Amino acid sequence: MKINQKLFTVIIFNLFSFITLFGQIIPDYKIVRGKNDTVTTPTHIIVGVAAPQSQIFVNEQSVKQYKTGSFGIELNLKEGANPVVIKIISGGKEYSDNFSVYYKIVTAQPKIEILQDYGKRVVVTKEGAYLNYGAGQDRLGGAKVNYIASGIRMELIDSVQSLYKVRLSENNYAFIPKYFVNIEPAGVKPPFTLTSSWSVSNAGKSDRIRISLESRQPYTMYRELEPNRLVVDIYGAACNSNWITQYLNLKAVDYVDFKQISPDVFRVLIYLKDEYSWGYKVDYVGNSLDITVKHTPLPAYSGKLKGMVIGVDAGHGGPKSAGAVSPAGFEEKAQNLAMAYMLKEQLEKKGATVILSRTDDSDVTLADRIKTFDNANVDMIVAIHCNAGGNPLKNGGTSTYYKHIEYRELAKSILEKLVLLDVNNFGLIGNFNFSLNAPTNYPSVLVETLFMSSLPDEEKITNPQFQKEMMTKVTEGLESYLKKVKASLKEKRD
Ligand SMILES: [Zn+2]
């Protein structure tokens, strides 16, 4: 029965593919893959066969034909209808065929189960949401786990001031700001998913891991240095992945693996090639979890600043956010901005491109600063601030901060240069919960130059000459970091 059906399909298929626009019959021609499809991915492969020794063009582009007669091409589709014109020159005659491939961008259509007797309530995340470990709310906000995509449903467990406690899985929970969720109508149940096929591919400036799920599930992610890998836990998910398509032209990802660590937590392990990280991002495309891992940018191979795109953030700004104010009345925001321009000038002299998140005395939100850096596709960011606190009669000192362990070396490289100046070493501080250190999609460092509140520091940090010297040290620190990157890449190749 199956064979008959197949035969029938082949006959019908051949019948259609021999009829072309002008009624000509192209010798031995048939499209075996990619014709008349509505597709949901922007890259589309067309494979066909025609009489051997033909000349083949797809959309005016010459396509290689193999000795067997087969040919193939990958097209990048635009949203909507994409015309495909195939021209074949065979035996001195020109033939053509055309059809259209419709690319439909699929937005998430989560599987929502509504149960009349489901007594618990569910929240759904909005754009910009993030998870916190606890309900602590200090000056910088509670400790962040990571940002999380929109459209994710989780059971609501409790309400603590401005946060909801939400369930990630049977044994895991987190906190999420109320501002970033909506409460679903009664009866909506949090989804559970089976993982489906994966693909791992080179997407140009990053490698991409895509895991098909049936619904958007919450996730957490972190980087480990030894072994050198990314760990992404997907909650409310069980393994049903029977294959992983892994391409061989990957640049950042060495290989991927997974583990079902508990009945409802699926762990994705992404082993990395390069020692130094240039950022990664986890998001959803439809219901597929989309993990991108940035390639080492080409200029980094030279170990120099030339060609690098660097985001520089001058802390605070505007009438509401002056930052720390020194005993003599100097405002932090003005020192930060002056130093950001000095750093910009020095980095540009070295051939880097610099993107400022604030160019004047205006109030720029953290979200807008992050957006500016995202849009410019920066390779790394440096945030400039001044510190405050402690004994005003003593030297405060200089310090650098990172949040993610993979950027410790960056913060360390800059601190090592800064302390060569006549300043106190206030230290290298990790796991710091500063918002601009939170994004994982590029390396970041916070430089707390000196203390506004310390009298000896105040004298230095309000002096333009000393500010310039500090920014020279930041520049040297970045160069020293890039040299380490270059050495690690060389070591790997040798
Ligand atoms: Zn500050």
Side-chain angles (χ1 to χ4, degrees), residues 139 315-316 323-324 332 336 384-387 448:
R139 180 172 68 88
H316 310 282
E332 183 196 339
N336 295 342
I384 304 292
H385 277 251
C386 303
N387 223 330
E448 291 277 2

Side-chain angles (χ1 to χ4, degrees), residues 352-371:
T353 301
V354 175
I355 309 295
L356 294 180
S357 57
R358 167 166 87 85
T359 54
D360 55 20
D361 182 22
S362 55
D363 193 354
V364 184
T365 64
L366 281 163
D368 282 342
R369 291 171 198 241
I370 289 172
K371 212 175 278 170

Side-chain angles (χ1 to χ4, degrees), residues 8 24 47 106 117 290 318 356 364 424 431 434 471 477 480 483:
F8 182 70
Q24 306 151 313
V47 174
V106 180
D117 57 351
D290 189 72
L356 294 180
V364 184
N424 194 18
N431 298 97
F434 170 61
M471 292 306 107
S480 136
K483 268 188 204 130

